[in-house]
Amino acid sequence: MLLSPAILALIGVSAVVTALLLLAAVFAVRVLRHWDIRSGSELQLRLERSTYLISTLVTFAIAAEVVALLLFVYNAESMHTQFIGAMCATGVLNVNAWGWPALLLKIAVFFAGSVWLLLNRLDNQGYDYPLIRLKYALLLILLPLVATAAFVQLQYFLNLNPDVITSCCGSLFSPDAQGVAAEVSAVAPRDAMLALYGSGALVLASGAVYLWRRRFATWFAASAAIAFPVALVAIVSCIALYVYEHPHHHCPFCILKSGHDYIGYWLYIPLFMATALALGVGALAPWRDIASLRAAVAADARRYAAIALAGFVLFYAVATLAIVRSNLTMAGTWW
């Protein structure tokens, strides 16, 4: 295994987060079995006092795991000089069979953990803990996901071999290659752009309707869930080509480099943040009829929807700017 401060930090964070969630899972089982807000028993009082400590620990743990996604990508990008054939994070993730599953699992943890954090914040604003059983039941579902992500990430780092000759984005994202990456890069740019702006119009319209009418939160969340993968496909299929000004360079990681003005961060961070918040709006809205949460749901969901819309607007503006200012012209070929 290659040792670096970033790798040790990622392994440490995943181990600590898994251990804390395991501890919280034991408490969650007690909550699910014995919680009764109407009871004045000693056990109920201990559960009420302990839930503040447990929820705070879990909040910091999941927040650390959310930040770890960014560090994981940054670390993969920075290690490309240590592997023969790697020119960016694509080659580093392709060093062994655990790289891409580790990234996908960390993305899943990011969205699941973000929604849990938003639900936890909402529940803490209710004087009668109305969502506490739901919150800890979701924690029992989140634990296997976090543990699996930690295991796969550890296997990835343990099997990093600098003597392996890896293949990078030039072959992996070639339309003539085999696999999911090749299938995504083979999507026709015209179709990818139509889907990108179509899904963008859908998510922006649904978000605006929610802010205006305070209704159709599920529609907004579902639109974001559609817009997110469509945006990733469009980046690989079309947007990256305009950034690189090369009709055959599809890599979704090289746009993170300084030579391209770090435009990848301006695309990915708003997209991930906006998607997570939009999913959170969909998770919060069903509880607006609970008396102790009515005001909190209205305030939080409105705030999250506004920030999510700003994030989506920024993503589509940056993507459009990358296309408009590019010197690559494919009129008559793609359009």
Side-chain angles (χ1 to χ4, degrees):
M1 180 178 70
L2 296 176
L3 293 179
S4 72
I7 290 178
L8 294 177
L10 285 166
I11 294 175
V13 167
S14 294
V16 171
V17 169
T18 303
L20 286 176
L21 289 189
L22 189 59
L23 174 67
V26 176
F27 179 75
V29 173
R30 296 183 63 197
V31 169
L32 293 175
R33 292 185 58 190
H34 303 294
W35 183 269
D36 183 1
I37 193 63
R38 296 165 300 181
S39 171
S41 66
E42 182 180 349
L43 175 59
Q44 175 63 23
L45 293 177
R46 284 205 304 268
L47 289 176
E48 291 180 12
R49 283 196 294 269
S50 299
T51 189
Y52 288 107
L53 174 62
I54 297 297
S55 64
T56 300
L57 289 176
V58 174
T59 297
F60 279 107
I62 295 178
E65 191 67 31
V66 169
V67 176
L69 171 61
L70 189 61
L71 178 59
F72 182 83
V73 175
Y74 176 81
N75 178 64
E77 179 62 34
S78 65
M79 291 178 63
H80 72 273
T81 57
Q82 302 184 41
F83 298 96
I84 301 173
M87 294 177 288
C88 63
T90 299
V92 178
L93 292 174
N94 213 34
V95 167
N96 58 52
W98 300 95
W100 288 100
L103 176 62
L104 295 177
L105 283 168
K106 292 191 80 67
I107 291 175
V109 169
F110 171 83
F111 285 121
S114 297
V115 171
W116 192 92
L117 289 178
L118 298 181
L119 277 174
N120 179 58
R121 171 181 158 76
L122 176 66
D123 185 55
N124 288 341
Q125 297 178 71
Y127 58 83
D128 54 350
Y129 310 97
L131 302 181
I132 194 163
R133 289 182 182 275
L134 170 69
K135 187 171 67 177
Y136 283 105
L138 292 177
L139 201 59
L140 294 178
I141 299 174
L142 185 59
L143 173 59
L145 179 62
V146 170
T148 303
F151 172 77
V152 173
Q153 177 186 257
L154 181 61
Q155 291 301 313
Y156 169 59
F157 288 139
L158 288 175
N159 289 280
L160 284 178
N161 184 355
D163 295 328
V164 170
I165 300 176
T166 184
S167 56
C168 204
C169 50
S171 58
L172 190 64
F173 288 96
S174 169
D176 298 329
Q178 301 291 325
V180 176
E183 294 293 331
V184 172
S185 60
V187 174
R190 180 175 180 272
D191 296 340
M193 296 307 292
L194 288 175
L196 174 71
Y197 287 110
S199 61
L202 180 64
V203 73
L204 293 178
S206 61
V209 168
Y210 179 77
L211 283 179
W212 178 37
R213 301 289 301 273
R214 303 290 190 271
R215 299 178 61 185
F216 307 117
T218 304
W219 180 29
F220 182 40
S223 300
I226 295 172
F228 177 74
V230 170
L232 295 183
V233 171
I235 288 174
V236 174
S237 174
C238 187
I239 296 172
L241 309 184
Y242 281 101
V243 174
Y244 305 133
E245 299 182 348
H246 190 292
H248 300 294
H249 193 180
H250 293 272
C251 182
F253 293 110
C254 288
I255 57 176
L256 299 171
K257 295 180 181 296
S258 59
H260 302 292
D261 301 327
Y262 302 108
I263 192 172
Y265 292 103
W266 289 95
L267 289 169
Y268 291 128
I269 292 178
L271 178 64
F272 274 71
M273 178 193 69
T275 304
L277 290 174
L279 294 175
V281 172
L284 265 57
W287 317 112
R288 62 180 178 274
D289 293 330
I290 298 177
S292 61
L293 295 182
R294 187 172 296 119
V297 169
D300 284 358
R302 182 174 64 251
R303 186 182 307 113
Y304 299 153
I307 299 174
L309 277 178
F312 279 120
V313 168
L314 179 58
F315 167 76
Y316 290 112
V318 172
T320 303
L321 181 64
I323 295 172
V324 171
R325 76 172 188 175
S326 174
N327 292 316
L328 178 68
T329 57
M330 297 300 290
T333 303
W334 291 345
W335 319 107

